[in-house]
Amino acid sequence: MFDLSGRVALVTGASRGIGRATAVALASRGAWVAVNYATNAEAAGETLAAVRAAGGDGELLPFDVSDAAAVTAAVEGLVQRKGPLSIAVANAGVNIDGLLLRAQEEDFDRMLATNVKGTLFLAKAAVRSMMKARHGRIIAVSSVVGAMGNAGQSMYAASKSALVGMMRSIAREYGSRGVTANVVSPGFVETDMTAGMSDDARKKLIEMTPAGRIGRPDDVAAAVVYLASNEAGWVTGQVLGVNGGLRM
C-alpha cells in the first residue's frame, strides 16, 4: 500500500520540521522529491541527504513561494526535467504571534503572502501539469489553530483557515480531471515553531491532548503520504486532523 514509485513530488518549506519529514516519507515510498527552500540551503541539503538515505532521490529547488513568477518558473522547469508533477505539498509557512491589539499590518501581510498566496501559487502551477496527466495530489498543511483558534494567533489562524476553503474549491474544480485537493491540519508538533514554548505551556498542552503527547513531524508526514497515494484517490476536499485528539 501507499506505493508512490514513479511519482514526482514537490514539498515546499522542506528544509526542516514537517516539510523535511514529509519529503523523506514520500521518498521512502518511492517518490522522486524536489526539496524546496527559500533561504537555508544547508538545511535543505540535509533534507536531500535524508531523502537519499531513505532510498529515494530528488533535487534542491530554491524559490520563494510568495513570488508567483518564481513558483511558476520552478514548477515548469521541474516538469520539463522530470515529467508530470504528481504530488504538490504546500508546507511552507510563517507564524508571527501577537495579541490582536498589537497586530501589525506588515506581519499579517507577510503571513498571507506565504501561507495563503504561496499555497495558491503552488496549486495553480501544479494543476496545469496534473490536468494533462489526469492525475494529481495537492495537499496543503494547515494547523489546528485555524479551526479552533488560539489566543495571540488571530492572524496566523486566519491564514491557516483560509486553506480549507481554497482546497475545497480546487477539489470541486479539478476532481473530474483526476486531481484531489486536501488539507492536513496538525496539532502542536515538535518543530522550531514550538521549540520556544515554556515548560508550563507544554505541560498544559499535553494535559489537553488525549494522546498524552506533543506530535512529531513524522506523524504529519504519514498523513501526507496517505493523501498522496492511490489509496486516497476518492478522498478530496477533506481536512485530515493530526492532533492527538486535541480537536475532534
Side-chain angles (χ1 to χ4, degrees), residues 24-136:
V24 173
L26 292 171
S28 72
R29 293 291 180 171
W32 185 97
V33 184
V35 176
N36 164 257
Y37 68 97
T39 58
N40 197 335
E42 182 178 356
E46 293 171 358
T47 298
L48 184 56
V51 161
R52 289 170 174 160
D57 199 7
E59 69 178 28
L60 299 182
L61 193 61
F63 61 84
D64 182 345
V65 298
S66 68
D67 183 337
V71 175
T72 299
V75 172
E76 288 180 350
L78 177 62
V79 171
Q80 289 174 3
R81 294 191 303 277
K82 299 301 298 182
L85 178 60
S86 296
I87 303 162
V89 183
N91 169 73
V94 175
N95 178 22
I96 305 172
D97 292 344
L99 296 173
L100 178 61
L101 291 178
R102 297 176 183 172
Q104 300 296 314
E105 184 177 2
E106 56 267 30
D107 291 339
F108 192 35
D109 287 343
R110 183 182 171 199
M111 280 189 280
L112 290 177
T114 299
N115 301 356
V116 182
K117 286 186 175 181
T119 299
L120 182 70
F121 297 155
L122 177 65
K124 180 180 178 181
V127 82
R128 297 181 187 278
S129 172
M130 293 175 176
M131 285 174 60
K132 293 178 182 178
R134 302 194 72 82
H135 177 278

Side-chain angles (χ1 to χ4, degrees), residues 163-178:
L163 303 183
V164 176
M166 184 191 301
M167 288 300 110
R168 286 176 172 164
S169 297
I170 293 170
R172 290 185 182 277
E173 286 184 29
Y174 298 103
S176 64
R177 304 296 184 93

Side-chain angles (χ1 to χ4, degrees), residues 3-9 26 31 79 83-88 123 125-139 174-181 225-235:
D3 182 9
L4 302 177
S5 298
R7 301 298 188 191
V8 175
L26 292 171
V79 171
L85 178 60
S86 296
I87 303 162
V127 82
R128 297 181 187 278
S129 172
M130 293 175 176
M131 285 174 60
K132 293 178 182 178
R134 302 194 72 82
H135 177 278
R137 304 285 186 262
I138 301 172
I139 303 161
Y174 298 103
S176 64
R177 304 296 184 93
V179 178
T180 66
V225 166
Y226 164 65
L227 291 174
S229 71
N230 288 337
E231 285 78 4
W234 210 47
V235 179

Side-chain angles (χ1 to χ4, degrees), residues 144 148 186-188 204-205 207-211 243-248:
V144 69
M148 62 185 286
F188 291 88
K204 289 181 179 177
L205 180 59
E207 289 174 349
M208 292 168 57
T209 305
N243 56 51
L246 180 62
R247 182 180 187 273
M248 299 184 189

Side-chain angles (χ1 to χ4, degrees), residues 171-196:
R172 290 185 182 277
E173 286 184 29
Y174 298 103
S176 64
R177 304 296 184 93
V179 178
T180 66
N182 292 289
V183 174
V184 171
S185 181
F188 291 88
V189 176
E190 293 282 9
T191 65
D192 290 351
M193 284 189 179
T194 58

